[in-house]
Amino acid sequence: MVKPDIVFKYFKDLSATQIEQFEKLFDLYSFWNSQINVISRKDIEELYERHILHSLGVAKFCTFKAGEKVLDVGCGGGFPGIPLAILFPETQFHLVDSIGKKIKVVTEVATALGLSNVKATHSRAEQITDKYNFVVSRAVTRLGEFYPWVRGKFAKENINAIRNGILYLKGGDLAEEIKESKLKTELYPLSAYFEEEFFETKYVVYVPQ
């Protein structure tokens, strides 16, 4: 069995419930991935580094508060929303994807983990009408294409240390993409938080609202 030690290396103040939930993720995703392919088959052995810890990179930059609402757009099988929901049990997470079978995986995983702070919806982001403190996503599309999907979905009140906005996980050379988007952005390299080679070219892109 693949163990979540790499998660515990960087996140030490976890409750017994959170530790158990992270430990269950490998078996849950191995099972559901064999039914509905949400992670590359060759990637399942790297689940904790490339999907779970990568998702938790958002948490190294921003600590979500109790009562905040976070929208995960194009969540696929639940990344980054599920790992973040485990880490922040008092924050509400709304995971959205336009592909129904991926939302089925999210629902089943959240239920198996007892995550009462997760709502999963089969929908396009543009059709969501609620307001959120933050929007998270993992490399769904180019930033300039992504922004119109979520513009206008932000709550006016800021209760975090940082302003409400987008927290986008993206890799590679982002200079051209950011310039093309014409958005005011801040780039935070995940290599500042995680020492593994996988994170050398990975970033949290913060777009304040």
Side-chain angles (χ1 to χ4, degrees):
M1 178 186 157
V2 174
K3 295 187 181 298
D5 295 356
I6 195 169
V7 172
F8 303 153
K9 172 180 170 182
Y10 293 107
F11 294 90
K12 300 185 185 300
D13 299 325
L14 299 173
S15 68
T17 298
Q18 289 170 316
I19 288 168
E20 185 182 3
Q21 287 168 330
F22 279 122
E23 286 174 340
K24 284 180 175 177
L25 284 176
F26 181 75
D27 284 349
L28 283 169
Y29 276 108
S30 294
F31 172 76
W32 283 107
N33 212 49
S34 67
Q35 318 283 317
I36 299 166
N37 193 19
V38 292
I39 295 168
S40 161
R41 296 258 194 261
K42 64 183 187 333
D43 237 18
I44 195 74
E45 295 294 316
E46 307 294 339
L47 177 77
Y48 282 108
E49 178 181 292
R50 295 184 182 176
H51 299 279
I52 296 166
L53 190 60
H54 187 210
S55 296
L56 294 173
V58 169
K60 286 296 185 183
F61 171 65
C62 176
T63 300
F64 296 124
K65 305 295 183 191
E68 283 192 312
K69 292 172 67 179
V70 178
L71 176 66
D72 180 356
V73 173
C75 63
F79 303 104
I82 292 284
L84 290 171
I86 293 173
L87 199 63
F88 300 108
E90 295 184 347
T91 302
Q92 298 301 311
F93 289 86
H94 187 182
L95 279 62
V96 173
D97 201 283
S98 61
I99 299 172
K101 62 185 181 180
K102 293 185 176 180
I103 287 298
K104 176 178 171 56
V105 174
V106 171
T107 303
E108 295 289 348
V109 169
T111 300
L113 296 174
L115 290 174
S116 59
N117 61 333
V118 169
K119 178 169 85 167
T121 303
H122 174 207
S123 174
R124 295 182 62 83
E126 301 95 315
Q127 297 166 320
I128 301 297
T129 57
D130 289 354
K131 302 287 186 186
Y132 302 87
N133 300 96
F134 293 96
V135 171
V136 297
S137 194
R138 203 165 72 128
V140 172
T141 186
R142 293 177 77 81
L143 205 50
E145 295 169 11
F146 180 81
Y147 185 71
W149 299 353
V150 300
R151 184 173 43 213
K153 290 184 174 32
F154 296 93
K156 287 188 166 58
E157 185 185 6
N158 297 284
I159 60 174
N160 206 292
I162 64 170
R163 280 171 54 200
N164 295 346
I166 298 169
L167 298 165
Y168 204 56
L169 289 163
K170 204 88 199 271
D173 184 356
L174 301 175
E176 183 188 331
E177 182 175 336
I178 288 169
K179 184 180 177 184
E180 168 194 279
S181 76
K182 298 184 172 64
L183 294 168
K184 180 189 173 189
T185 62
E186 298 174 20
L187 269 186
Y188 295 89
L190 291 183
S191 59
Y193 312 115
F194 306 137
E195 64 183 10
E196 286 71 21
E197 185 180 342
F198 175 74
F199 298 103
E200 283 179 5
T201 59
K202 303 289 190 294
Y203 298 88
V204 173
V205 183
Y206 171 47
V207 186
Q209 291 306 292

